[in-house]
Amino acid sequence: MSTCVAIAVITFRRPALLRGLLTSLQAQELPADADYSIRIVVVDNDADGSAARVLEEFGEGTPYPIESVVEAEPGIPFARERSVELCWNDDALVFVDDDEVAPPGWLATLLKAWESTGADVVTGPVKGNLPAGAPAWNHYSDVHDSTGRHTTGEELRKAYTNNTLVSRRVYHAVTPGFHPAFRYTGSSDLHFFLRVHRAGFRIVWCEEACIAEDVPVGRTTLAWLVRRAFRSGSGDTISRLLIRPGAISYVLVLAYASARVISAFGLALAGLLLGRKTHLLKAVRRFFSGVGSLAGIVGINHDEYRERHGSADGGGAVRGDLDGGEEPGAADVAAQGDASLADHPDARLP
């Protein structure tokens, strides 16, 4: 029997971007001897079902069938969890973002890495295509690479849902996968994959399975860099405290956060003495990541996805969008009265 693989996409009111992604997915070719059954699952997080207009363009005759549903509950974790439910009987699912474009050979490379390594999770890089006129610092920074830089075959402790294959045995074991506490803040994928690694599953990097995304103008500013660094640090802390609550975890994350803040000053000094802008940029990111890590200890995070600043499709502010931003605020990590939180296996913060 063929190995069934589903490509899972969540989307919210970004029709042009979704169209570009689906076009690139339908163009993927597999070797003639590859015994795979591929399908695409789209979860529209817009209660109005606005993605339907785009999905109608990919009807009969496309190489890979598309199944779509509407997840009316706003927030990334709910859409991702619905994706897992729809892919429950597939042998693996591949998470990609709706603002990405898959180059030729991407899917074949990812599947080959899964076969050759026997890994439970295979993840690869995301290449950010900068808009014209982006400030110079964007070009020599890896700020738009959320996965960091690794070598093929390297085993990792975490991954994200922007370019990652997950074997069925993983999402059957680590369930529920995506925590409602991260509804608008992001990091529900980090929290999930930290738990995946903790459960003993192997996460392997494949440098050749690269996917691309267009970076919006709004993400090329230093203000965005600061907010993203803060959110990243806070999300990391909250994830770890949810996974392993207790005094020891608080001490560890406090030590980690403090070390990041202190090391940021060392990087800044080195950058000034050596005249290296990359060092200065890393210092800024590390400092605000450390500050975010400290804020996460008391449950403060940055609601990056609560409202849209203005997407590539030119839309206005929309509550609950997946491309937005708001000032830092308190995350609902301790909302014990919320049934969806209370039912989660690691939903409690002491």
Side-chain angles (χ1 to χ4, degrees):
M1 296 178 63
S2 298
T3 301
C4 299
V5 176
I7 303 175
V9 182
I10 64 173
T11 189
F12 184 99
R13 298 186 185 178
R14 302 207 284 191
L17 295 174
L18 178 62
R19 182 180 295 109
L21 170 64
L22 293 178
T23 299
S24 71
L25 293 179
Q26 294 291 357
Q28 295 296 306
E29 296 183 355
L30 299 179
D33 59 349
D35 191 17
Y36 284 100
S37 175
I38 306 296
R39 68 191 187 103
I40 300 170
V41 172
V42 177
V43 176
D44 185 359
N45 205 204
D46 180 9
D48 294 331
S50 57
R53 295 189 298 272
V54 174
L55 297 172
E56 289 172 356
E57 302 172 16
F58 298 88
E60 295 183 5
T62 53
Y64 309 120
I66 298 178
E67 177 183 354
S68 64
V69 298
V70 172
E71 174 51 62
E73 185 67 37
I76 296 174
F78 301 98
R80 285 184 179 144
E81 197 66 45
R82 189 70 180 277
S83 298
V84 172
E85 292 173 2
L86 294 170
C87 302
W88 193 254
N89 293 322
D90 291 280
D91 295 298
L93 68 86
V94 179
F95 286 110
V96 293
D97 289 343
D98 67 347
D99 59 351
E100 297 175 331
V101 173
W106 162 78
L107 181 58
T109 303
L110 194 65
L111 293 173
K112 183 178 180 180
W114 183 42
E115 292 177 357
S116 62
T117 63
D120 304 296
V121 176
V122 179
T123 187
V126 177
K127 174 179 172 53
N129 297 321
L130 295 170
W137 63 263
N138 287 269
H139 295 275
Y140 57 77
S141 166
D142 62 353
V143 64
H144 300 294
D145 178 8
S146 61
T147 48
R149 294 173 178 172
H150 310 282
T151 57
T152 295
E154 181 179 348
E155 294 198 12
L156 309 181
R157 292 177 172 269
K158 60 185 179 181
Y160 302 91
T161 53
N162 50 14
N163 179 18
T164 301
L165 180 149
V166 184
S167 300
R168 178 170 59 184
R169 56 184 173 269
V170 173
Y171 52 84
H172 278 198
V174 183
T175 184
F178 300 99
H179 201 298
F182 301 98
R183 178 193 293 266
Y184 295 127
T185 62
S187 297
S188 63
D189 52 351
L190 170 65
H191 174 253
F192 171 69
F193 284 111
L194 286 174
R195 291 163 59 217
V196 167
H197 178 266
R198 185 178 175 86
F201 293 106
R202 292 176 60 228
I203 303 174
V204 171
W205 180 261
C206 179
E207 180 68 22
E208 294 75 22
C210 182
I211 204 166
E213 70 174 359
D214 289 330
V215 178
V217 173
R219 296 187 180 186
T220 63
T221 66
L222 285 174
W224 175 85
L225 169 65
V226 168
R227 291 194 299 268
R228 175 54 66 93
F230 180 96
R231 193 266 281 179
S232 176
S234 181
D236 184 89
T237 289
I238 293 172
S239 295
R240 296 179 189 279
L241 292 178
L242 284 170
I243 293 169
R244 188 183 177 187
I248 293 178
S249 291
Y250 277 99
V251 171
L252 291 175
V253 297
L254 178 61
Y256 173 77
S258 301
R260 290 190 70 79
V261 172
I262 294 171
S263 65
F265 288 103
L267 272 174
L269 180 61
L272 291 172
L273 293 175
L274 300 175
R276 295 186 178 179
K277 296 180 179 179
T278 53
H279 282 45
L280 293 173
L281 186 61
K282 287 181 179 179
V284 172
R285 291 179 64 192
R286 187 167 296 182
F287 175 80
F288 285 101
S289 173
V291 171
S293 295
L294 291 171
I297 294 175
V298 292
I300 295 177
N301 205 339
H302 168 46
D303 287 352
E304 181 172 359
Y305 299 121
R306 184 177 291 275
E307 293 183 2
R308 182 185 338 206
H309 283 305
S311 74
D313 289 352
V318 178
R319 297 290 293 179
D321 192 7
L322 303 185
D323 188 37
E326 202 171 79
E327 294 308 308
D332 290 331
V333 295
Q336 302 268 345
D338 187 323
S340 61
L341 286 174
D343 289 345
H344 200 278
D346 60 3
R348 298 174 303 279
L349 271 176

